[in-house]
Amino acid sequence: MLTAGVAVDKATLNFDKEFSYIVPPQFEKEIRPGSVVLVPFGRGSTLRQGVVLSLSEREDVKKLKAIADVKTEQWSVTPFALKMVEHIKETCFCTYYEAAKTVIPYGCQYKISAGKLEAKHKLPTEKQYTANIQQEIPKLTPKQRAVYDYLINSHKTIKQICDDCNVTKAVVDKLIEKELLTVTEKQKDFAENIVNAGKREISLSPQQQKVFDEISTADNDKPHLIHGVTSSGKTAVFIKLIQNTLEKGKTAMLLVPEIALTPQMINLLSQHFGDVISVMHSKLTGTQRLYQHQKITEGKAKVIVGTRSAVFAPCDNIGLIIIDEEHEKTFKSENSPRYSAIRVASFIAKEKGAKLVLASATPSIESYYLAKNGYYHLHKMDKRYNDMPMPQVEIIDMRMQAKIGDVGVLSDAVIKYLSDNIKDDKQSIILINRRGYSTVGICKECRETLQCEDCSVNLVKHKNAGKLSCHYCSRSYPVIERCPHCGGEIQYVGYGTQKVEEYIQSCIPDARILRMDADTTGKSDSHSEMLKGFADKKYDILVGTQMVAKGLDFKDVNLVCVLGIDGALNQTSYNSGETAFSLLTQVIGRAGRWQKDALAVIQTYDSENPVIALAQRGDYETFYNREIAFRKMNIYPPFCTMCQVAFTNEKEVAAAKDAAKFLDIIRQQSAKLENQPLVVLGPAPFSVSMVSGIYRYRLTLKCKNTRKFRDFLRLCIDEYLRNQENKSGIFVNM
């Protein structure tokens, strides 16, 4: 009898495998690997969704349950996607279904209704009208005749007919009564704001041409890394590579780290490739995602642009994958499965024989190390396009400013620069990587800070909304003026984007300010509208979090200012210096991309920090040499893999205790590693030890990410889960 191996939803890590089910005769012709199914699960035979991983014939099926429903859509999970499921399952320590869910197209998103699978998303349809061509046409009014002639050899909606012919719906209804029109239901088109500009040639500079030639002629034996300074013209190289890929009949993919970067990239690419572009990111609705998936599956999309999850787009004919700003942490998922889009892209490129191109002005230390040591092809772009100079960088020491009474959110010098820039009809960008108004509420008497009841973090005051907010669990509280512990006066200190916006407005009343942060970009099209408004010079100053620090290209921006960088520099993580250097370098690069005499200003209380000095000079090579020496001496990536094994529990003592138990298991099983190096740090709480009422402890493992180590770690996890006394949840982040 035909049976299916199914990855079942909500299977726990300690009870995760391919579950076998009988395939009823009515589903035998329809079912295949990749089908979405509905199956009874557990003692109560609760209906759950699953994905078919395999099919086989079995004789002993007495103990097996039968599949309740099957869905096999034309754009369902492909054989190659199932291969990715195995890869993700093996490398990301997740369940089969968690791995499968990442590759399930939106055409296969279902809900359970009356014991059956029902599509979550359906593409909307609309009525379209066309003329029935007849030899003898009855007498018509002038308006009826105009509509009839308009619809010969064309399909139009009722709105198009009424608008273009200046008639009412009654005119159309009369033509239908006379059987002169045919009405059909057709899929509604989605407005994508993509200009079908046709093929447009792009001219490369000698520097750009050299990099293009090197990449296009190289074998696809290993990835490519483009290290190009900001505004060196990396995007032009991308376009030329995409053109070259499409000419070979292949599909291209371009990943960016932020949704905010997709509108500008799509606008640019559409000038060269027209409507063969597909866009994918988390702000799209389910229906929009379904439309994009269908467009890709049907071969109508040849260029896929998107954020991290777009790497799973169902394009079997992939020839090129480009990952821009490859150093960004947003390419790593924070939820299970905790995959890296770069690692997944590397797997796809290797399996499909595609080119993988990584690019950044500040490559990750790991990527640059691999390039310097021959594991990647390295390509350098040292000059800005058209030989534009880098902006002058000025450091303002806020400790010195305080001594002369300059204690505002922005220094007097920056306010003057902003004001002069507006007078010169130029634009400015202000980066402050904290949203909200005040970042800390502290009692003047007992010095207690206002913290979230469910998370071990300070509450942030949001003045516009009139609330205190937790940026981890999103819980809100009323703004209070008296300490709940002692009754003392609460003082709100620190600043975020809201306070910066308010301060600039108070100093420069006529300034037109645009604020971009998570509070203002909630709508699906908000990024596009805001950036278009700024590009159209409806605003003088753009204030925002890190979403404004990278990839954006505005002709009239010749002043940028960085606030609050000290927080990034003072983090305790091993890569805090890399994060700060990248952020500074990227935001400095937003200025003077199209004109000379640009200025970047860094406000800091740590003006002698070497990271700031190196970013001021734009000296990536010296920064890399310092950083790689530090990491080699202390055994940090790329000289090891940092693996976190996390334990979560409603009780802090239990989370700490279970982490210690897992450490004992590692010690007991360590002989199975056969002398493979392993260093274990902890147990210790996370820097934010409680989120949403759940305590979090971790073990940090310095290891080599090999199959042998992953098998060892999986063995330790199985041992931990077998003991029912261990109550804490466990997850792995590599």
Side-chain angles (χ1 to χ4, degrees):
M1 181 169 285
L2 185 63
T3 62
V6 179
V8 181
D9 188 15
K10 299 176 184 176
T12 56
L13 197 60
N14 62 323
F15 197 59
D16 180 50
K17 61 179 182 179
E18 278 192 44
F19 295 94
S20 296
Y21 287 89
I22 296 170
V23 179
Q26 66 267 30
F27 297 137
E28 287 184 357
K29 291 184 179 180
E30 178 184 3
I31 197 168
R32 66 171 177 77
S35 296
V36 177
V37 293
L38 190 64
V39 295
F41 189 80
R43 292 180 181 177
S45 291
T46 305
L47 292 177
R48 294 189 187 180
Q49 291 190 53
V51 176
V52 176
L53 301 179
S54 62
L55 293 172
S56 62
E57 293 285 344
R58 284 180 57 174
E59 293 182 3
D60 182 17
V61 295
K62 291 181 181 179
K63 295 182 179 180
L64 300 187
K65 299 175 183 179
I67 291 174
D69 196 13
V70 173
K71 294 292 183 182
T72 305
E73 304 290 351
Q74 60 177 344
W75 50 76
S76 59
V77 183
T78 64
F80 181 72
L82 289 178
K83 199 171 185 179
M84 280 201 290
V85 169
E86 291 290 342
H87 174 72
I88 295 168
K89 161 74 175 170
E90 198 275 323
T91 57
C92 296
F93 295 91
C94 61
T95 67
Y96 271 115
Y97 192 80
E98 286 171 337
K101 199 172 183 180
T102 62
V103 303
I104 294 176
Y106 269 72
C108 294
Q109 296 281 325
Y110 296 96
K111 58 186 177 181
I112 302 172
S113 177
K116 295 290 182 180
L117 290 171
E118 182 181 313
K120 272 189 179 181
H121 313 293
K122 294 181 181 179
L123 293 175
T125 60
E126 60 187 355
K127 290 181 179 180
Q128 293 197 342
Y129 302 79
T130 190
N132 291 326
I133 299 177
Q134 298 180 7
Q135 290 184 349
E136 294 185 12
I137 300 173
K139 186 176 180 181
L140 301 176
T141 67
K143 287 188 176 181
Q144 290 172 348
R145 184 75 203 198
V147 171
Y148 180 80
D149 291 342
Y150 173 71
L151 293 176
I152 292 176
N153 297 323
S154 66
H155 291 81
K156 300 293 182 180
T157 65
I158 190 68
K159 185 177 187 307
Q160 290 172 321
I161 297 169
C162 293
D163 289 348
D164 294 348
C165 298
N166 193 26
V167 298
T168 63
K169 186 176 181 296
V171 176
V172 178
D173 291 339
K174 283 292 183 183
L175 288 171
I176 294 173
E177 286 180 17
K178 296 175 184 289
E179 299 183 348
L180 292 176
L181 299 184
T182 297
V183 185
T184 56
E185 288 280 345
K186 291 202 172 185
Q187 183 179 305
K188 187 176 181 180
D189 287 333
F190 279 76
E192 296 180 276
N193 298 320
I194 292 175
V195 179
N196 193 358
K199 190 173 180 179
R200 174 179 163 187
E201 285 300 319
I202 186 166
S203 178
L204 300 182
S205 68
Q207 175 180 249
Q208 293 168 328
Q209 188 68 47
K210 180 175 181 293
V211 173
F212 168 74
D213 291 341
E214 290 172 350
I215 296 175
S216 60
T217 59
D219 294 332
N220 299 345
D221 56 337
K222 53 188 176 183
H224 300 262
L225 176 65
I226 301 176
H227 176 208
V229 299
T230 55
S231 196
S232 57
K234 295 185 288 295
T235 305
V237 177
F238 299 164
I239 292 171
K240 196 71 174 178
L241 287 169
I242 293 171
Q243 284 181 345
N244 187 48
T245 301
L246 268 55
E247 288 168 0
K248 295 177 180 178
K250 297 283 188 177
T251 301
M253 177 184 294
L254 197 160
L255 302 184
V256 294
E258 296 272 1
I259 293 174
L261 298 180
T262 56
Q264 190 166 273
M265 186 63 73
I266 290 167
N267 181 58
L268 180 61
L269 293 178
S270 67
Q271 296 174 28
H272 298 271
F273 306 109
D275 59 4
V276 300
I277 298 172
S278 177
V279 57
M280 299 180 69
H281 56 69
S282 61
K283 286 293 179 72
L284 298 179
T285 66
T287 304
Q288 289 172 326
R289 293 192 198 191
L290 173 55
Y291 173 77
Q292 297 296 340
H293 272 282
Q294 181 175 334
K295 187 177 177 181
I296 295 167
T297 305
E298 293 178 349
K300 297 176 181 177
K302 303 296 183 183
V303 183
I304 293 94
V305 180
T307 50
R308 178 181 65 224
S309 61
V311 75
F312 296 109
C315 41
D316 285 338
N317 196 31
I318 192 74
L320 172 69
I321 305 174
I322 300 171
I323 301 182
D324 196 16
E325 312 291 1
E326 65 86 27
H327 64 279
E328 286 293 335
K329 293 180 178 61
T330 50
F331 286 118
K332 178 73 182 290
S333 172
E334 295 182 354
N335 300 311
S336 189
R338 292 169 175 81
Y339 67 89
S340 160
I342 295 176
R343 291 179 191 168
V344 173
S346 180
F347 172 80
I348 295 171
K350 185 176 180 180
E351 292 290 324
K352 295 286 189 179
K355 288 188 186 295
L356 174 59
V357 178
L358 312 178
S360 176
T362 54
S364 69
I365 297 298
E366 291 92 329
S367 292
Y368 203 64
Y369 175 83
L370 292 172
K372 297 271 278 189
N373 287 275
Y375 297 99
Y376 290 175
H377 296 288
L378 179 61
H379 314 275
K380 291 197 173 186
M381 300 176 70
D382 298 325
K383 297 179 181 178
R384 278 188 152 191
Y385 187 70
N386 283 339
D387 292 322
M388 293 299 296
M390 295 296 290
Q392 178 186 344
V393 181
E394 178 181 339
I395 298 173
I396 296 180
D397 189 333
M398 296 304 287
R399 294 174 301 177
M400 299 301 295
Q401 296 303 112
K403 291 180 179 179
I404 59 173
D406 183 5
V407 293
V409 173
L410 278 76
S411 66
D412 293 343
V414 170
I415 292 297
K416 184 178 186 306
Y417 292 147
L418 291 171
S419 182
D420 290 345
N421 223 30
I422 293 172
K423 292 175 184 176
D424 294 339
D425 196 29
K426 301 298 181 183
Q427 293 176 296
S428 309
I429 294 178
I430 309 290
L431 170 71
I432 168 67
N433 204 22
R434 293 190 296 264
R435 62 188 174 97
Y437 188 80
S438 297
T439 54
V440 182
I442 186 169
C443 176
K444 290 183 177 181
E445 301 296 330
C446 67
R447 310 306 295 171
E448 287 282 342
T449 59
L450 299 180
Q451 290 201 329
C452 177
E453 294 176 5
D454 295 330
C455 307
S456 53
V457 293
N458 293 326
L459 293 171
V460 177
K461 182 180 179 181
H462 287 249
K463 187 176 180 181
N464 295 357
K467 65 181 182 180
L468 301 176
S469 179
C470 174
H471 287 180
Y472 276 76
C473 71
S474 300
R475 184 174 173 180
S476 297
Y477 302 80
V479 176
I480 59 175
E481 304 299 333
R482 290 291 168 182
C483 176
H485 302 285
C486 71
E489 182 184 352
I490 295 293
Q491 179 183 20
Y492 290 97
V493 298
Y495 54 88
T497 50
Q498 289 182 12
K499 184 178 282 189
V500 171
E501 178 187 20
E502 180 184 273
Y503 187 82
I504 296 173
Q505 202 74 75
S506 67
C507 297
I508 314 174
D510 296 334
R512 299 170 300 166
I513 305 172
L514 172 65
R515 175 165 59 88
M516 281 190 72
D517 54 31
D519 297 321
T520 62
T521 56
K523 296 180 180 178
S524 60
D525 56 351
S526 55
H527 292 92
S528 178
E529 290 179 357
M530 288 182 173
L531 294 176
K532 185 179 186 305
F534 192 69
D536 292 342
K537 299 193 73 171
K538 295 178 181 178
Y539 303 96
D540 305 307
I541 301 169
L542 173 59
V543 177
T545 52
Q546 64 175 357
M547 65 177 68
V548 306
K550 54 213 169 195
L552 300 179
D553 186 5
F554 297 107
K555 290 187 177 182
D556 286 304
V557 171
N558 71 337
L559 172 65
V560 297
C561 179
V562 183
L563 311 177
I565 194 63
D566 301 330
L569 289 168
N570 293 326
Q571 290 180 357
T572 57
S573 58
Y574 73 92
N575 57 359
S576 59
E578 178 185 8
T579 301
F581 180 85
S582 295
L583 189 62
L584 286 171
T585 304
Q586 292 289 337
V587 74
I588 288 169
R590 297 315 104 206
R593 299 171 72 88
W594 295 81
Q595 55 194 278
K596 298 178 181 179
D597 301 322
L599 176 65
V601 181
I602 303 171
Q603 282 194 183
T604 177
Y605 288 90
D606 191 9
S607 60
E608 297 177 358
N609 192 298
V611 172
I612 293 178
L614 291 170
Q616 182 184 29
R617 302 202 305 265
D619 191 349
Y620 177 85
E621 288 289 342
T622 300
F623 173 78
Y624 168 80
N625 290 332
R626 286 170 54 94
E627 189 73 9
I628 204 72
F630 162 76
R631 295 194 184 189
K632 186 175 184 179
M633 181 174 63
N634 293 280
I635 316 178
Y636 284 122
F639 302 102
C640 73
T641 297
M642 299 290 284
C643 172
Q644 286 189 347
V645 185
F647 302 84
T648 59
N649 200 296
E650 292 180 355
K651 296 180 180 179
E652 183 175 11
V653 173
K657 186 178 179 181
D658 287 343
K661 287 181 182 179
F662 194 85
L663 177 57
D664 290 338
I665 294 172
I666 290 177
R667 288 169 176 159
Q668 293 164 11
Q669 302 292 338
S670 59
K672 292 184 172 63
L673 272 176
E674 298 177 358
N675 298 319
Q676 183 170 318
L678 175 65
V679 176
V680 184
L681 307 175
F686 277 74
S687 56
V688 178
S689 61
M690 182 177 68
V691 175
S692 297
I694 303 296
Y695 289 94
R696 311 185 303 167
Y697 270 69
R698 64 186 171 187
L699 293 169
T700 302
L701 282 56
K702 293 184 177 181
C703 58
K704 287 188 176 180
N705 188 2
T706 62
R707 181 178 290 274
K708 181 183 290 186
F709 171 76
R710 293 193 297 271
D711 289 343
F712 164 78
L713 186 56
R714 199 167 284 110
L715 182 149
C716 293
I717 292 171
D718 290 342
E719 183 72 20
Y720 170 85
L721 293 172
R722 269 195 293 269
N723 187 344
Q724 295 184 358
E725 293 182 359
N726 299 331
K727 302 295 185 182
S728 297
I730 183 172
F731 67 84
V732 177
N733 194 355
M734 292 189 73

